Amino acid sequence: MFRSVVYHRSSLIGEVEIHPKNSSLGTWTREIRISYISHPPSDRCSPLAILHTISTSGVCFVMESKRSADESLLFSVYSACLRENKTAVAPVGEEELHLVAMPSRRNIPRHSCFWGYIIARGLYNSCLAMLNRRCLGIVFDLDETLLVANTMRSLEDTIDGLQRMISEMDPQRANGMLAVIKRYQEDKSILKQYVDGDQVVENGKVFKIQSEAVPPLFGSHQPLTRPIIRLHEKNIILTRVNPLIRDTSILVRLRPAWEDLRNYLIANGHKWFEVYVCTMAEKDYALEMWRLLDPECNLINSNELLDRIVSVKSGLRKSLFSVFQAGVCHPKMSLVIDDRLEVWDEKDQSRVLVVPPFAPHFGPQAESKNDILVLCAARNMACNVRGSFFKDFDEVLLPRMSEIFYEDEVEYPSVPDVGNYLISKDGTSTLNENKNPLCFDGMADAEVERRLKGANRIGQSIPPIADNIDTRAVVPPDLTVITPTAPAVSLTTTQFPNTVVPVPNPSDSVESGELWDDLPPLATEVEASESAFEKETTDLNNKLAMLVDITERERKAFIELEHKSKDREKALQDQIANIVGALEREKK
């Protein structure tokens, strides 16, 4: 135990006794300077529950006012924090100290008791808002997870490489490869029409370019308009990175059911997840691909795009630390959807939902089985993970935190972690065990990338395109790719530079039952386990039921009164009829 003083900005507000809970406290604890009181107050979660969830080191010290001192100012801060569910915040280097006002079992008058937590700057407010809204973070990869992109050059090179391979195959496998080549040729035909004539004829219908404005994301860049064609039935988008250079045209295939997943993330006008992107592609490419995926900026606001779309340098692993380095979310509250696990830092791999690589040309039928598409399964898994997370948070953590006092030395309940709800029976977190992922299916030609970069320098109206669109585009020439049933095929540099093509077996390579063994059940209700919102909904339903009940009672009373009125009217008519009859008899 040691003594310290507490300031609110520059004013001394009290002397305290500090009891350290770990040995890493610095000299700053000798003079604690509160900068501000957290705002807004937490309306659904206690500050203790929030900090217990997002702190990596737990309580760093406990602190109470000296009994001999007049601590009226410190007690005012303590009372306000305890009453309004707020914390007192003091900056500590790149981090911040949060003082949580704790109730005491001793009930000493005007006595202040705090627990101290150290966390990253800004993390508390971000997570407070998310937990109050029962919202988690979700991080998407782009290439082969949500889309595949190709230029004219990459399509031509792929087709040439596949055609050279056919001569070395047996007839059965060659027939299967011809079907793959046909799909690439169809994409090449569509892209060529767009490049040559700014329109595409598909099934007798003409699709012309539509100008889409791209807002400037950098202060030095001017607004840009791109010519876009969207073929919704094929999930194809045609775009031109530099509108003035036709050679920068790209055909982008969106993964089926992306729209369903996107709609779930913002269902009923509520953001169930805060969305981020982490890719090994260059930033400018990633920004344009995301614009095509989310053209109305419903998932990521336009003013947040630069911060939320993170490009990882070649040779480095992806990590949630790099995605959330601005203190916008905690890794425990984050789900990752990617087609590759090994590109992520080991400490984040438990939170990665691994999906099958999107390879529309090699096996389009493998995208679905039993009418469940890959991204629909991912949506269901995200729904289940979120429901499980907040079920534990609401029913286990919050009640336990409300029972803790300043003096307690307790064993705290485990903190909900997205990774805890992704583990399947075999210990993996995959929709499809991806031991031998397919190689990058588009934008694989380095020469095309250089041409795109050069075209952008000429246009000077947009940022330069990527030197490396994605590290998966650069594949060692001797890499062996194995398909479920076919022998491995290795392509040399002379056969097909920079691209490795997996060879499908025509009989069953497009569908593999083992890919779907761990699919989560189809969600029948989007938020079946959302306890907080269920309570609000139940309250509203109860009020509505009361109103309906009152209305029903009034309706029955009215009907009963109406029946009584009719009975009285009939009785009166009968009485009148009897009197009239009696008068007529007397008259006769």
Side-chain angles (χ1 to χ4, degrees):
M1 187 274 292
F2 60 89
R3 294 181 177 180
S4 179
V5 291
V6 179
Y7 288 83
H8 185 216
R9 297 189 178 94
S10 59
S11 301
L12 178 65
I13 62 173
E15 298 180 15
V16 295
E17 295 177 349
I18 292 181
H19 302 266
K21 292 296 183 180
N22 59 55
S23 58
S24 60
L25 296 180
T27 57
W28 56 267
T29 52
R30 301 291 179 178
E31 189 177 278
I32 297 175
R33 291 187 174 271
I34 297 172
S35 177
Y36 62 94
I37 305 299
S38 64
H39 184 80
S42 176
D43 56 349
R44 303 178 70 175
C45 313
S46 68
L48 185 63
I50 296 169
L51 288 163
H52 181 59
T53 300
I54 64 178
S55 173
T56 55
S57 56
V59 182
C60 61
F61 64 78
V62 298
M63 179 181 86
E64 60 182 303
S65 58
K66 290 176 60 178
R67 299 182 187 180
S68 59
D70 180 11
E71 306 297 346
S72 58
L73 295 178
L74 180 60
F75 184 74
S76 297
V77 172
Y78 168 79
S79 301
C81 290
L82 192 62
R83 181 178 61 253
E84 300 175 15
N85 263 354
K86 295 181 179 181
T87 65
V89 187
V92 181
E94 296 299 319
E95 298 176 311
E96 57 190 17
L97 168 69
H98 282 259
L99 297 174
V100 182
M102 297 294 296
S104 173
R105 296 185 184 276
R106 293 173 290 176
N107 292 322
I108 301 174
R110 305 187 69 77
H111 190 64
S112 306
C113 303
F114 295 90
W115 282 7
Y117 288 85
I118 294 289
I119 59 172
R121 284 199 177 188
L123 183 61
Y124 179 84
N125 284 345
S126 297
C127 293
L128 164 65
M130 293 176 66
L131 292 171
N132 276 339
R133 292 187 288 118
R134 298 304 186 258
C135 172
L136 294 179
I138 191 166
V139 182
F140 288 110
D141 174 48
L142 291 177
D143 294 306
E144 289 191 283
T145 298
L146 298 182
L147 56 86
V148 163
N150 275 288
T151 63
M152 185 65 74
R153 176 65 180 273
S154 65
L155 288 170
E156 290 172 347
D157 286 351
T158 302
I159 293 170
D160 291 343
L162 293 175
Q163 287 175 338
R164 287 195 297 269
M165 293 171 58
I166 289 180
S167 60
E168 303 173 6
M169 296 180 180
D170 59 77
Q172 185 180 15
R173 295 182 64 209
N175 288 335
M177 184 57 68
L178 287 173
V180 174
I181 293 174
K182 182 180 178 182
R183 297 186 190 107
Y184 276 107
Q185 289 173 332
E186 290 172 354
D187 279 5
K188 177 185 173 183
S189 174
I190 291 173
L191 184 56
K192 189 175 189 306
Q193 292 181 65
Y194 171 72
V195 172
D196 293 343
D198 287 338
Q199 66 179 29
V200 172
V201 179
E202 184 69 20
N203 295 327
K205 187 176 180 180
V206 178
F207 296 86
K208 297 185 177 181
I209 61 171
Q210 301 292 325
S211 296
E212 292 189 6
V214 181
L217 298 175
F218 306 91
S220 59
H221 291 170
Q222 298 299 318
L224 179 68
T225 300
R226 284 199 174 99
I228 302 293
I229 295 180
R230 295 178 182 267
L231 304 178
H232 295 286
E233 292 184 1
K234 288 182 171 288
N235 280 334
I236 288 177
I237 301 178
L238 299 154
T239 184
R240 196 164 291 148
V241 178
N242 187 328
L244 304 177
I245 310 297
R246 292 182 178 271
D247 283 347
T248 65
S249 300
I250 300 175
L251 183 146
V252 181
R253 278 189 173 270
L254 304 186
R255 192 160 203 164
W258 161 247
E259 188 171 347
D260 292 335
L261 175 56
R262 181 180 63 193
N263 291 340
Y264 160 69
L265 296 174
I266 52 173
N268 300 322
H270 183 93
K271 268 194 173 183
W272 305 112
F273 289 85
E274 290 291 343
V275 179
Y276 302 83
V277 174
C278 186
T279 176
M280 290 183 171
E282 289 291 329
K283 187 88 167 187
D284 305 320
Y285 167 83
L287 288 167
E288 174 60 8
M289 293 303 103
W290 184 255
R291 191 188 69 81
L292 299 178
L293 289 163
D294 184 30
E296 296 180 358
C297 296
N298 290 324
L299 300 182
I300 302 179
N301 293 332
S302 57
N303 59 349
E304 297 177 318
L305 284 171
L306 290 177
D307 294 328
R308 293 204 177 195
I309 297 182
V310 178
S311 180
V312 178
K313 293 182 179 179
S314 177
L316 299 180
R317 280 191 170 188
K318 298 178 180 179
S319 73
L320 291 174
F321 174 78
S322 63
V323 177
F324 303 139
Q325 58 185 341
V328 292
C329 186
H330 195 281
K332 294 176 186 176
M333 298 168 55
S334 307
L335 170 67
V336 178
I337 297 183
D338 201 327
D339 66 294
R340 295 174 66 184
L341 181 65
E342 71 278 5
V343 299
W344 283 89
D345 194 292
E346 288 185 5
K347 65 177 180 292
D348 295 325
Q349 290 185 4
S350 65
R351 303 176 183 112
V352 179
L353 175 61
V354 183
V355 297
F358 180 38
H361 303 96
F362 286 92
Q365 294 91 337
E367 271 296 300
S368 66
K369 189 172 184 179
N370 299 328
D371 297 327
I372 302 178
L373 297 169
V374 169
L375 290 187
C376 285
R379 175 203 63 196
N380 297 340
M381 182 67 83
C383 176
N384 293 338
V385 166
R386 180 179 169 277
S388 299
F389 182 99
F390 284 109
K391 178 179 174 64
D392 285 350
F393 187 84
D394 290 333
E395 298 180 9
V396 179
L397 184 64
L398 285 182
R400 186 68 187 93
M401 290 291 104
S402 66
E403 300 169 351
I404 297 176
F405 287 81
Y406 171 78
E407 295 83 5
D408 292 346
E409 294 285 347
V410 296
E411 183 176 342
Y412 306 113
S414 60
V415 175
D417 188 324
V418 163
N420 296 338
Y421 313 111
L422 274 177
I423 305 301
S424 60
K425 296 177 182 178
D426 60 354
T428 63
S429 55
T430 63
L431 292 181
N432 166 19
E433 190 172 355
N434 184 20
K435 294 180 179 179
N436 297 295
L438 294 174
C439 299
F440 186 61
D441 197 18
M443 297 297 287
D445 191 277
E447 176 61 26
V448 174
E449 295 165 16
R450 286 194 293 271
R451 289 167 61 189
L452 290 177
K453 186 173 182 180
N456 282 320
R457 285 199 299 268
I458 295 172
Q460 293 182 352
S461 59
I462 60 174
I465 195 66
D467 289 324
N468 294 305
I469 293 299
D470 193 296
T471 56
R472 288 171 286 183
V474 182
V475 183
D478 59 347
L479 181 63
T480 299
V481 179
I482 302 175
T483 57
T485 57
V489 176
S490 177
L491 297 180
T492 64
T493 307
T494 56
Q495 288 174 311
F496 194 16
N498 294 329
T499 306
V500 177
V501 182
V503 182
N505 185 301
S507 60
D508 57 8
S509 64
V510 295
E511 286 192 52
S512 178
E514 67 206 37
L515 303 183
W516 300 87
D517 290 342
D518 295 325
L519 277 178
L522 185 64
T524 56
E525 295 184 13
V526 172
E527 292 306 322
S529 59
E530 176 55 35
S531 59
F533 285 108
E534 282 181 351
K535 183 178 183 303
E536 293 176 1
T537 304
T538 302
D539 292 341
L540 290 174
N541 288 338
N542 290 339
K543 292 178 181 178
L544 180 61
M546 290 175 60
L547 291 174
V548 172
D549 184 57
I550 293 171
T551 305
E552 181 66 14
R553 289 201 304 270
E554 291 177 347
R555 186 183 69 84
K556 289 181 179 179
F558 177 81
I559 293 174
E560 185 178 356
L561 180 62
E562 188 177 24
H563 287 164
K564 288 181 179 178
S565 298
K566 289 181 179 179
D567 291 340
R568 291 174 182 172
E569 183 179 2
K570 186 175 184 304
L572 183 61
Q573 289 175 348
D574 292 340
Q575 187 177 4
I576 293 173
N578 290 335
I579 294 173
V580 170
L583 290 174
E584 287 181 350
R585 286 194 298 273
E586 290 178 358
K587 182 179 179 181
K588 290 179 179 180

